């Protein structure tokens, strides 16, 4: 460790303790992106602490060489996005539960208190540990009954990105939000150091418009897709610096679907899975990473183009929210004929979606109580025509002082706009060209 990193480590370690305390006190469901946390080099070799957008890190205290933490499984109230509240289950008052962040070789003791109306357990997904700590109900342990507190104690012998979730009635408990991420920093990091380190848990839910309880019986038709249990426009942006090295760790505990997460404005390399680090010689550039169910994927990149860049699942129905109107396919229908017939019975009727659905977000259509529009969030040029598993990567020259709510200021002449007729004519472009 050089002097610069030593100073970083010493100063930031104290700050991290305070930050951990503050994170532990943060109110569940607190809304709005905060100013990005300054880079905190608090782990061996100057490794920065991870950031969980819309989430927190589990506070740990150390006693006799063991790091001690406490997870409480419990019913919670959760806001998926402004206007959509849910009656969910989670850990420590939130979904996903707090991110567990430790160092390779750490001995840990996790107390798990069950305040659910049914038994539970905790499985440390991807972590290689003693068999009796693996958390599979009936196979490795008896269940944690309502009101009981169990203790898990083991050593994280391998660095990597892992997850935790129940292994009792997981269909119900995970469908209601019980999951969390685990980051184990290596004792001796290899490769170039990263400046920002994020964790994002992907998940899918079925919540009927107007209802509050996610449906754990759903097997195919999910209508709320989330990063860290938030659907756009409820997702916090990721603010990073131009030229910084950035790591994002994805987890997927969805019931049924893989998620191809696509990045705009950059390429990245896949550097790790929950099985371990990918050798440098086997990495190659990508713009989309597939995160399979029950897996983690770790990517790294260096953004060089400033701006507000989209980052989203490329399953098109995964960037939509609930469809609250029960609409049939209307694209291409003759709205005038339909309106004339239906308005005789319903004077206020108006056919929607016959010319596509891209403008519907700005119409301000009423939606059922406790539901949100299918797409739409505020953007600098109008409504952003996205929902669900969508967020924004904000690349800035000064990320530590940048306003997370602020939009990129484009240099003059760098925004696509209506074409000039004289320029089209000079370039031989005929907008009335016929085909077929």
């Amino acid at each position: 460790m050089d002097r610069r990193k030593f100073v970083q480590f010493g100063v930031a370690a104290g700050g991290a303790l305070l930050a951990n305390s503050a994170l532990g006190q943060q109110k569940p469901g607190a809304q709005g992106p905060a100013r990005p946390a300054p880079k905190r080099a608090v782990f061996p070799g100057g490794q920065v602490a991870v950031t969980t957008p819309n989430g927190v890190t589990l506070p740990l205290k150390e006693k006799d060489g063991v790091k001690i933490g406490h997870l409480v499984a419990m019913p919670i109230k959760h806001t998926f996005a402004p206007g959509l509240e849910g009656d969910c289950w989670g850990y420590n008052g939130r979904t996903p539960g707090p991110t567990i962040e430790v160092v390779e070789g750490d001995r840990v003791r996790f107390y798990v208190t069950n305040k659910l109306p049914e038994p539970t357990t905790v499985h440390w997904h991807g972590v290689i540990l003693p068999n009796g700590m693996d958390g599979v109900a009936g196979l490795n342990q008896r269940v944690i009954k309502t009101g009981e507190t169990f203790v898990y104690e083991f050593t994280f012998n391998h660095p990597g990105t892992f997850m935790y979730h129940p292994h009792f009635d997981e269909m119900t408990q995970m469908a209601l939000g019980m999951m969390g991420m685990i980051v184990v920093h290596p004792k001796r990091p290899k490769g170039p150091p990263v400046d920002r380190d994020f964790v994002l848990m992907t998940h899918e839910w079925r919540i009927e418009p107007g209802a509050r309880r996610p449906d754990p019986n759903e097997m195919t038709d999910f209508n709320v897709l989330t990063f860290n249990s938030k659907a756009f426009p409820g997702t916090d942006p990721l603010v990073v610096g131009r030229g910084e090295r950035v790591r994002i760790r994805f987890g997927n505990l969805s019931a049924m679907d893989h998620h191809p997460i696509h990045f705009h404005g950059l390429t990245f390399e896949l550097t790790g899975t929950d099985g371990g680090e990918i050798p440098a010689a086997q990495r190659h550039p990508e713009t989309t990473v597939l995160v399979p169910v029950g897996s983690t994927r770790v990517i790294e990149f260096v953004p060089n183009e400033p701006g507000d860049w989209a980052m989203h699942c490329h399953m098109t129905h995964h960037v939509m929210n609930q469809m609250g109107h029960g609409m049939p396919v209307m694209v291409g229908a003759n709205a005038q004929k339909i309106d004339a017939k239906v308005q005789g019975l319903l004077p206020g009727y108006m056919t929607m979606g016959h010319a596509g659905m891209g403008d519907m977000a700005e119409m301000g259509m009423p939606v059922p109580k406790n539901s949100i529009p299918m797409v739409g969030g505020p953007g600098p040029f109008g409504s952003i025509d996205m929902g669900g598993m969508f967020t924004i990567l904000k690349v800035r020259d000064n990320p530590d002082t940048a306003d997370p709510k602020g939009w990129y200021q484009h240099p003059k002449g760098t925004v696509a706009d209506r074409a000039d007729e004289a320029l089209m004519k000079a370039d031989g472009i005929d907008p009335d060209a016929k085909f077929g």
Side-chain angles (χ1 to χ4, degrees), residues 73-76 80 87-91 95 114 116-121 165-179 203-207 212-219 222 253-256:
M74 57 191 293
I76 62 170
F80 290 93
D87 290 326
C88 302
W89 290 359
Y91 297 99
T95 174
N114 182 11
L116 300 173
E118 70 166 356
T120 190
T121 66
H165 62 80
H167 228 305
F168 174 82
D169 191 15
E170 51 262 46
M171 180 191 81
T172 298
Q173 298 191 9
M174 292 167 68
L176 294 182
M178 297 188 68
M179 65 202 81
H203 200 46
E204 58 192 4
W205 318 67
R206 176 71 192 184
I207 307 173
R212 295 180 60 90
R213 180 77 72 190
D215 182 1
N217 298 317
E218 180 57 54
M219 298 179 70
F222 301 93
L253 287 177
S254 300
M256 299 297 290

Side-chain angles (χ1 to χ4, degrees), residues 259-283:
H259 300 296
I261 307 300
H262 178 60
F263 285 73
H264 295 214
L266 57 85
T267 64
F268 61 80
E269 291 184 340
L270 183 66
T271 61
T273 73
D274 34 352
E277 182 180 342
I278 296 175
Q282 296 179 12
R283 302 174 188 174

Side-chain angles (χ1 to χ4, degrees), residues 44-45 47 103-106 159 185-189:
Q47 297 174 84
V103 177
E104 175 189 5
D106 276 351
H185 295 279
K187 276 184 180 176
R188 298 176 185 80

Side-chain angles (χ1 to χ4, degrees), residues 202 204 252 254 256-260 290-294 313 315 318:
T202 63
E204 58 192 4
N252 183 1
S254 300
M256 299 297 290
D257 288 305
H258 312 312
H259 300 296
L290 182 65
V291 188
V293 173
C313 181
M315 299 274 195
H318 291 186

